[in-house]
Amino acid sequence: MANLDNLIHQPVRLRIVSSLSTLSEEESLEFTFLRDLHDLTDGNLGAHLRKLEEAGYVSLEKTFVDRKPRTFIALTRKGRKAFREHVKALEQILKDKP
Amino acid sequence: MDRNEAHESLEIARQSMELTRQAVARAGSGYILIIWGIVWLFGFLGSQFLGEAQGYLWLVLDVFGIVGMVVVILKSRSQVRSTHGKRIGIFWLILFVYGGLIFWIAGPILGDKYLLFITVFVSFGYVVMGLWFSPPLLYIGLGITALALVGWQLIPAYLGAWLALVGGGGLIASGIFILRGRA
Protein backbone atom coordinates (compact mmCIF):
# COMPACT_ATOMS: atom_id res chain seq x y z
CA MET A 1 0.00 0.00 0.00
CA ALA A 2 1.56 3.30 -1.12
CA ASN A 3 1.71 6.24 1.29
CA LEU A 4 1.14 9.93 0.71
CA ASP A 5 4.30 11.99 1.06
CA ASN A 6 3.64 15.12 3.14
CA LEU A 7 6.66 16.92 1.72
CA ILE A 8 5.61 16.39 -1.90
CA HIS A 9 1.94 17.00 -1.18
CA GLN A 10 2.43 20.80 -0.86
CA PRO A 11 1.18 22.17 -4.25
CA VAL A 12 4.31 24.13 -5.25
CA ARG A 13 6.61 21.24 -4.32
CA LEU A 14 4.29 18.86 -6.17
CA ARG A 15 4.68 21.02 -9.29
CA ILE A 16 8.47 21.14 -8.90
CA VAL A 17 8.83 17.39 -8.36
CA SER A 18 6.37 16.58 -11.18
CA SER A 19 8.39 18.73 -13.58
CA LEU A 20 11.68 17.11 -12.60
CA SER A 21 10.12 13.63 -12.88
CA THR A 22 9.73 14.08 -16.65
CA LEU A 23 13.52 14.06 -17.04
CA SER A 24 15.79 11.06 -16.94
CA GLU A 25 18.28 10.57 -14.10
CA GLU A 26 21.07 12.19 -16.12
CA GLU A 27 19.07 15.32 -16.87
CA SER A 28 18.55 18.51 -14.87
CA LEU A 29 16.72 21.83 -15.16
CA GLU A 30 18.22 25.25 -14.62
CA PHE A 31 16.89 27.27 -11.66
CA THR A 32 15.50 30.20 -13.70
CA PHE A 33 13.92 27.80 -16.23
CA LEU A 34 12.02 26.06 -13.41
CA ARG A 35 11.17 29.40 -11.74
CA ASP A 36 9.68 30.87 -14.95
CA LEU A 37 7.92 27.62 -15.84
CA HIS A 38 5.87 27.72 -12.63
CA ASP A 39 5.74 31.50 -12.26
CA LEU A 40 7.58 31.51 -8.91
CA THR A 41 9.90 34.03 -7.28
CA ASP A 42 13.57 33.26 -6.61
CA GLY A 43 12.92 33.17 -2.84
CA ASN A 44 9.87 30.94 -3.10
CA LEU A 45 11.54 28.40 -5.36
CA GLY A 46 14.74 28.51 -3.30
CA ALA A 47 12.86 27.80 -0.06
CA HIS A 48 11.00 24.81 -1.52
CA LEU A 49 14.17 23.44 -3.09
CA ARG A 50 15.97 23.62 0.24
CA LYS A 51 13.27 21.47 1.86
CA LEU A 52 13.40 18.96 -0.99
CA GLU A 53 17.19 18.91 -0.87
CA GLU A 54 17.21 18.32 2.89
CA ALA A 55 14.95 15.31 2.35
CA GLY A 56 17.33 14.01 -0.32
CA TYR A 57 14.68 14.34 -3.05
CA VAL A 58 16.57 16.76 -5.29
CA SER A 59 20.22 17.51 -5.94
CA LEU A 60 21.50 20.98 -6.76
CA GLU A 61 24.63 21.59 -8.75
CA LYS A 62 26.12 25.05 -9.02
CA THR A 63 28.21 25.63 -12.12
CA PHE A 64 29.11 28.21 -14.77
CA VAL A 65 27.69 28.30 -18.32
CA ASP A 66 29.18 30.96 -20.60
CA ARG A 67 30.82 32.48 -17.50
CA LYS A 68 27.42 32.97 -15.83
CA PRO A 69 26.61 31.18 -12.57
CA ARG A 70 23.88 28.56 -13.01
CA THR A 71 22.18 26.14 -10.65
CA PHE A 72 20.96 22.87 -12.13
CA ILE A 73 18.33 20.85 -10.28
CA ALA A 74 17.73 17.12 -10.67
CA LEU A 75 15.40 14.64 -9.03
CA THR A 76 17.34 12.00 -7.10
CA ARG A 77 16.48 8.29 -7.14
CA LYS A 78 14.97 8.73 -3.67
CA GLY A 79 12.87 11.67 -4.89
CA ARG A 80 11.72 9.75 -7.93
CA LYS A 81 10.62 6.81 -5.76
CA ALA A 82 8.82 9.12 -3.32
CA PHE A 83 6.97 10.83 -6.19
CA ARG A 84 5.91 7.49 -7.70
CA GLU A 85 4.62 6.33 -4.31
CA HIS A 86 2.77 9.62 -3.79
CA VAL A 87 1.05 9.38 -7.18
CA LYS A 88 0.15 5.74 -6.49
CA ALA A 89 -1.36 6.74 -3.15
CA LEU A 90 -3.42 9.49 -4.81
CA GLU A 91 -4.66 7.05 -7.46
CA GLN A 92 -5.53 4.58 -4.73
CA ILE A 93 -7.70 7.21 -2.99
CA LEU A 94 -9.59 7.78 -6.25
CA LYS A 95 -10.17 4.04 -6.61
CA ASP A 96 -11.13 3.36 -2.99
CA LYS A 97 -13.35 6.31 -2.09
CA PRO A 98 -16.69 6.55 -3.88
CA MET B 1 -7.56 13.35 2.13
CA ASP B 2 -10.80 13.15 0.18
CA ARG B 3 -11.39 12.14 -3.39
CA ASN B 4 -11.58 15.73 -4.70
CA GLU B 5 -8.26 16.69 -3.14
CA ALA B 6 -6.61 13.59 -4.60
CA HIS B 7 -8.04 14.36 -8.02
CA GLU B 8 -6.83 17.97 -7.78
CA SER B 9 -3.30 16.89 -6.80
CA LEU B 10 -3.11 14.40 -9.66
CA GLU B 11 -4.27 17.12 -12.04
CA ILE B 12 -1.53 19.50 -10.75
CA ALA B 13 1.08 16.76 -11.32
CA ARG B 14 -0.24 15.95 -14.80
CA GLN B 15 -0.33 19.61 -15.89
CA SER B 16 3.16 20.28 -14.53
CA MET B 17 4.57 17.28 -16.37
CA GLU B 18 2.92 18.33 -19.62
CA LEU B 19 4.08 21.94 -19.22
CA THR B 20 7.66 20.79 -18.63
CA ARG B 21 7.73 18.42 -21.60
CA GLN B 22 6.50 21.20 -23.87
CA ALA B 23 8.98 23.74 -22.49
CA VAL B 24 11.90 21.33 -22.85
CA ALA B 25 10.82 20.56 -26.43
CA ARG B 26 10.58 24.29 -27.16
CA ALA B 27 14.08 24.80 -25.76
CA GLY B 28 15.64 22.76 -28.55
CA SER B 29 13.93 20.35 -30.87
CA GLY B 30 11.41 22.80 -32.38
CA TYR B 31 14.15 25.07 -33.76
CA ILE B 32 16.28 22.11 -34.86
CA LEU B 33 13.37 20.71 -36.89
CA ILE B 34 12.81 24.10 -38.56
CA ILE B 35 16.53 24.46 -39.42
CA TRP B 36 16.72 20.99 -41.01
CA GLY B 37 13.35 21.58 -42.68
CA ILE B 38 14.84 24.64 -44.43
CA VAL B 39 17.89 22.57 -45.48
CA TRP B 40 15.65 19.82 -46.80
CA LEU B 41 13.23 22.19 -48.58
CA PHE B 42 15.85 24.14 -50.51
CA GLY B 43 18.12 21.12 -51.04
CA PHE B 44 15.45 19.04 -52.75
CA LEU B 45 14.15 22.02 -54.72
CA GLY B 46 17.74 22.36 -55.95
CA SER B 47 17.77 18.65 -56.83
CA GLN B 48 14.62 19.18 -58.89
CA PHE B 49 15.63 22.35 -60.74
CA LEU B 50 19.42 22.94 -60.59
CA GLY B 51 20.89 19.78 -62.11
CA GLU B 52 24.68 19.51 -61.58
CA ALA B 53 24.90 22.71 -59.49
CA GLN B 54 22.82 21.13 -56.73
CA GLY B 55 25.99 19.73 -55.08
CA TYR B 56 27.20 23.22 -54.10
CA LEU B 57 23.75 24.12 -52.78
CA TRP B 58 23.66 21.01 -50.58
CA LEU B 59 27.13 21.85 -49.25
CA VAL B 60 26.07 25.39 -48.25
CA LEU B 61 22.79 24.14 -46.77
CA ASP B 62 24.47 21.37 -44.75
CA VAL B 63 26.94 23.87 -43.25
CA PHE B 64 23.97 26.13 -42.40
CA GLY B 65 22.15 23.16 -40.80
CA ILE B 66 25.09 22.01 -38.69
CA VAL B 67 26.04 25.53 -37.50
CA GLY B 68 22.39 26.35 -36.73
CA MET B 69 21.91 23.11 -34.80
CA VAL B 70 25.08 23.67 -32.73
CA VAL B 71 23.92 27.21 -31.85
CA VAL B 72 20.49 25.93 -30.74
CA ILE B 73 22.03 23.10 -28.68
CA LEU B 74 24.48 25.48 -26.97
CA LYS B 75 21.66 27.90 -26.19
CA SER B 76 19.28 25.27 -24.79
CA ARG B 77 22.12 23.73 -22.72
CA SER B 78 21.96 26.71 -20.38
CA GLN B 79 18.36 25.74 -19.48
CA VAL B 80 18.22 21.96 -19.67
CA ARG B 81 21.22 19.76 -19.11
CA SER B 82 21.14 16.30 -20.55
CA THR B 83 23.33 13.49 -21.72
CA HIS B 84 20.77 12.83 -24.46
CA GLY B 85 22.43 15.40 -26.73
CA LYS B 86 25.66 13.44 -26.92
CA ARG B 87 23.85 10.15 -27.52
CA ILE B 88 21.64 11.71 -30.21
CA GLY B 89 24.73 13.09 -31.94
CA ILE B 90 26.45 9.70 -31.87
CA PHE B 91 23.27 8.02 -33.15
CA TRP B 92 23.04 10.34 -36.20
CA LEU B 93 26.75 9.95 -36.89
CA ILE B 94 26.46 6.14 -36.82
CA LEU B 95 23.28 6.29 -38.92
CA PHE B 96 25.03 8.31 -41.62
CA VAL B 97 28.03 5.96 -41.60
CA TYR B 98 25.67 3.01 -42.09
CA GLY B 99 23.80 4.96 -44.78
CA GLY B 100 27.09 5.47 -46.59
CA LEU B 101 27.94 1.77 -46.26
CA ILE B 102 24.56 0.68 -47.63
CA PHE B 103 24.90 3.20 -50.46
CA TRP B 104 28.38 1.84 -51.26
CA ILE B 105 27.43 -1.85 -51.02
CA ALA B 106 24.04 -1.70 -52.75
CA GLY B 107 24.96 1.06 -55.24
CA PRO B 108 24.77 2.55 -57.70
CA ILE B 109 21.64 4.26 -56.36
CA LEU B 110 20.90 7.01 -58.85
CA GLY B 111 18.29 9.60 -59.83
CA ASP B 112 14.91 9.31 -58.11
CA LYS B 113 16.03 6.36 -56.03
CA TYR B 114 18.91 8.43 -54.64
CA LEU B 115 16.53 11.18 -53.49
CA LEU B 116 14.14 8.59 -52.09
CA PHE B 117 16.98 6.72 -50.35
CA ILE B 118 18.10 9.88 -48.49
CA THR B 119 14.52 10.73 -47.54
CA VAL B 120 13.64 7.27 -46.25
CA PHE B 121 16.94 6.93 -44.40
CA VAL B 122 16.64 10.28 -42.61
CA SER B 123 12.95 9.52 -41.86
CA PHE B 124 14.11 6.25 -40.30
CA GLY B 125 16.34 8.35 -38.02
CA TYR B 126 13.31 10.40 -36.95
CA VAL B 127 11.32 7.20 -36.29
CA VAL B 128 14.08 5.88 -33.99
CA MET B 129 14.30 9.27 -32.22
CA GLY B 130 10.53 9.21 -31.78
CA LEU B 131 10.58 5.73 -30.23
CA TRP B 132 13.48 6.81 -28.08
CA PHE B 133 12.26 9.99 -26.47
CA SER B 134 9.75 12.11 -28.39
CA PRO B 135 6.60 10.49 -29.88
CA PRO B 136 5.86 13.37 -32.32
CA LEU B 137 9.11 12.58 -34.16
CA LEU B 138 7.87 8.99 -34.69
CA TYR B 139 4.78 10.25 -36.51
CA ILE B 140 6.81 12.82 -38.48
CA GLY B 141 9.19 10.07 -39.67
CA LEU B 142 6.43 7.64 -40.59
CA GLY B 143 4.38 10.37 -42.30
CA ILE B 144 7.28 11.63 -44.44
CA THR B 145 8.20 8.05 -45.45
CA ALA B 146 4.63 7.25 -46.52
CA LEU B 147 4.20 10.51 -48.47
CA ALA B 148 7.64 10.13 -50.12
CA LEU B 149 6.67 6.66 -51.40
CA VAL B 150 3.31 7.96 -52.66
CA GLY B 151 5.08 10.74 -54.58
CA TRP B 152 7.62 8.29 -56.03
CA GLN B 153 4.82 6.12 -57.39
CA LEU B 154 2.44 8.84 -58.58
CA ILE B 155 4.57 11.84 -59.69
CA PRO B 156 8.12 10.59 -60.35
CA ALA B 157 8.85 13.54 -62.68
CA TYR B 158 8.39 15.98 -59.79
CA LEU B 159 9.85 13.82 -57.03
CA GLY B 160 12.46 16.42 -55.93
CA ALA B 161 9.82 19.15 -55.53
CA TRP B 162 7.45 16.70 -53.83
CA LEU B 163 10.12 15.62 -51.32
CA ALA B 164 10.98 19.29 -50.70
CA LEU B 165 7.33 19.92 -49.87
CA VAL B 166 6.55 16.87 -47.71
CA GLY B 167 10.01 16.50 -46.13
CA GLY B 168 11.13 20.12 -45.73
CA GLY B 169 7.64 21.52 -45.34
CA GLY B 170 6.75 18.70 -42.94
CA LEU B 171 9.75 19.37 -40.71
CA ILE B 172 9.17 23.14 -40.68
CA ALA B 173 5.48 22.67 -39.84
CA SER B 174 6.36 20.15 -37.11
CA GLY B 175 8.93 22.54 -35.63
CA ILE B 176 6.37 25.37 -35.52
CA PHE B 177 3.83 22.95 -34.00
CA ILE B 178 6.28 22.04 -31.20
CA LEU B 179 7.23 25.68 -30.58
CA ARG B 180 3.57 26.55 -30.14
CA GLY B 181 3.45 23.89 -27.44
CA ARG B 182 0.88 21.58 -28.99
CA ALA B 183 3.15 18.54 -29.29
Side-chain angles (χ1 to χ4, degrees):
Chain A
M1 175 84 184
N3 292 318
L4 286 171
D5 188 307
N6 285 330
L7 193 71
I8 295 178
H9 182 61
Q10 200 281 337
V12 175
R13 286 196 287 272
L14 178 61
R15 279 153 64 191
I16 294 169
V17 172
S18 302
S19 285
L20 294 171
S21 76
T22 61
L23 308 174
S24 68
E25 283 183 27
E26 304 92 25
E27 293 176 307
S28 50
L29 291 180
E30 208 274 317
F31 185 92
T32 56
F33 185 80
L34 197 57
R35 179 199 65 194
D36 296 344
L37 194 66
H38 293 298
D39 209 12
L40 301 169
T41 62
D42 284 351
N44 198 359
L45 177 59
H48 287 297
L49 286 176
R50 258 194 305 281
K51 287 189 179 168
L52 290 168
E53 192 184 22
E54 279 164 15
Y57 288 180
V58 299
S59 63
L60 272 63
E61 194 193 337
K62 292 177 194 299
T63 185
F64 285 86
V65 178
D66 297 332
R67 284 187 246 172
K68 287 176 193 157
R70 302 272 185 191
T71 302
F72 285 93
I73 306 134
L75 197 61
T76 61
R77 197 165 289 182
K78 188 180 174 188
R80 210 168 285 273
K81 191 174 172 225
F83 176 67
R84 271 201 308 268
E85 292 283 311
H86 186 71
V87 169
K88 256 190 217 168
L90 291 170
E91 287 169 344
Q92 198 60 48
I93 291 169
L94 286 184
K95 272 187 204 162
D96 292 348
K97 294 191 177 175
Chain B
M1 181 188 281
D2 65 23
R3 202 181 147 82
N4 282 343
E5 269 184 284
H7 185 266
E8 207 174 295
S9 289
L10 280 172
E11 192 56 25
I12 289 172
R14 191 193 62 76
Q15 284 176 2
S16 299
M17 290 165 85
E18 199 177 304
L19 187 72
T20 309
R21 286 199 187 98
Q22 288 171 357
V24 169
R26 276 199 296 275
S29 59
Y31 291 111
I32 290 175
L33 283 177
I34 291 173
I35 288 168
W36 285 109
I38 291 168
V39 171
W40 196 318
L41 179 73
F42 288 104
F44 279 105
L45 280 177
S47 298
Q48 176 77 50
F49 299 111
L50 289 183
E52 293 288 314
Q54 64 175 280
Y56 297 107
L57 179 66
W58 274 111
L59 190 68
V60 171
L61 287 169
D62 285 339
V63 170
F64 162 77
I66 290 165
V67 170
M69 188 172 67
V70 168
V71 169
V72 171
I73 288 170
L74 288 177
K75 214 174 159 210
S76 66
R77 209 179 54 163
S78 65
Q79 297 177 317
V80 184
R81 216 164 39 160
S82 164
T83 54
H84 283 167
K86 198 184 282 179
R87 273 185 275 171
I88 289 168
I90 292 170
F91 164 72
W92 281 101
L93 188 68
I94 290 172
L95 188 74
F96 280 112
V97 169
Y98 271 82
L101 280 174
I102 293 169
F103 189 76
W104 181 49
I105 295 165
I109 302 171
L110 302 167
D112 289 355
K113 282 194 174 175
Y114 173 69
L115 298 180
L116 199 67
F117 175 79
I118 294 172
T119 303
V120 169
F121 209 76
V122 172
S123 298
F124 172 68
Y126 280 101
V127 168
V128 174
M129 298 264 290
L131 287 170
W132 198 0
F133 76 101
S134 176
L137 294 176
L138 169 69
Y139 307 125
I140 292 168
L142 291 175
I144 292 175
T145 304
L147 288 171
L149 291 172
V150 168
W152 182 47
Q153 289 299 312
L154 298 182
I155 45 168
Y158 298 99
L159 188 65
W162 174 251
L163 294 178
L165 185 73
V166 299
L171 290 182
I172 292 169
S174 304
I176 293 169
F177 192 69
I178 286 173
L179 289 175
R180 286 187 174 177
R182 292 184 193 158

